Amino acid sequence: APGRPAGGAAGVWGGGGRMKRMPVWLKWGILALLAISAAVPVLERTVLEPRGLTWRAGIGRCCILFLTLDAIALVVWTGVLLWRKPTNALHRWAVVVSIGLLCLMAGGIGRFMVRISIPYERVIERDGRWVVEESPPLDSGSNYYDYYGPFVRGIEPLAGSFYLELFRSGEGG
């Protein structure tokens, strides 16, 4: 029928070719990203910390990115539904502008969270072994941790770390 896609998507399309529900691929994609973002801290607490390990900064960046993408996808889908509802052109353009601004805000908040909460990391060779050098966003020094692979690092700071020097001199904590 005209206005309907071929291939059995009739459950998504109502009468007159209008979408009534969120597509299954979008729903499962959003749920998968939310599940991954929720599983990362749970795995850190239950599996990694008892072994003296923690996630590297890139995993935290991915979690923030996933949550930001979820927010943008939900806002855009809401916009699609609202776009189809009003018949007045002025209302449609108000919906487009509002959705655009909400997407920009979600993206900006995600970038801000990455900048302020996720440290810069790199793997270097120090004293004959591979270590992760971490530079926290609001500190001037570097901390060094044992390197265990591309996804995890040690929890305890190694000798020469900025935080260890602060605590030894009595200025920290």
Side-chain angles (χ1 to χ4, degrees):
R4 286 192 183 193
V12 174
W13 295 83
R18 291 182 168 255
M19 268 193 201
K20 296 210 181 235
R21 294 184 312 183
M22 181 182 288
V24 174
W25 63 268
L26 183 61
K27 185 186 308 180
W28 284 108
I30 288 172
L31 290 174
L33 292 177
L34 284 173
I36 291 169
S37 296
V40 165
V42 170
L43 289 173
E44 182 172 20
R45 299 274 188 249
T46 59
V47 176
L48 295 178
E49 280 185 5
R51 292 172 174 79
L53 302 172
T54 189
W55 294 113
R56 301 247 335 252
I59 301 298
R61 281 189 185 99
C62 287
C63 287
I64 291 173
L65 175 68
F66 291 167
L67 292 174
T68 303
L69 288 175
D70 278 346
I72 290 173
L74 289 173
V75 165
V76 167
W77 180 250
T78 303
V80 167
L81 292 179
L82 289 176
W83 174 266
R84 296 176 184 279
K85 197 168 194 155
T87 56
N88 186 344
L90 181 61
H91 288 152
R92 285 188 174 186
W93 286 112
V95 166
V96 168
V97 169
S98 299
I99 297 303
L101 289 175
L102 286 172
C103 287
L104 286 173
M105 285 176 35
I109 290 170
R111 284 187 59 156
F112 177 74
M113 292 301 297
V114 166
R115 289 279 183 209
I116 198 162
S117 65
I118 307 294
Y120 169 75
E121 281 186 354
R122 65 183 181 153
V123 177
I124 62 170
E125 188 174 352
R126 187 169 180 253
D127 298 330
R129 67 182 198 187
W130 292 103
V131 298
V132 176
E133 178 186 29
E134 176 187 88
S135 300
L138 302 175
D139 285 339
S140 57
S142 292
N143 299 306
Y144 303 97
Y145 301 93
D146 285 323
Y147 173 75
Y148 287 100
F151 302 115
V152 295
R153 66 165 173 81
I155 292 177
E156 296 296 322
L158 301 174
S161 292
F162 179 68
Y163 287 159
L164 283 179
E165 300 303 322
L166 274 178
F167 285 111
R168 284 188 188 140
S169 67
E171 295 175 26

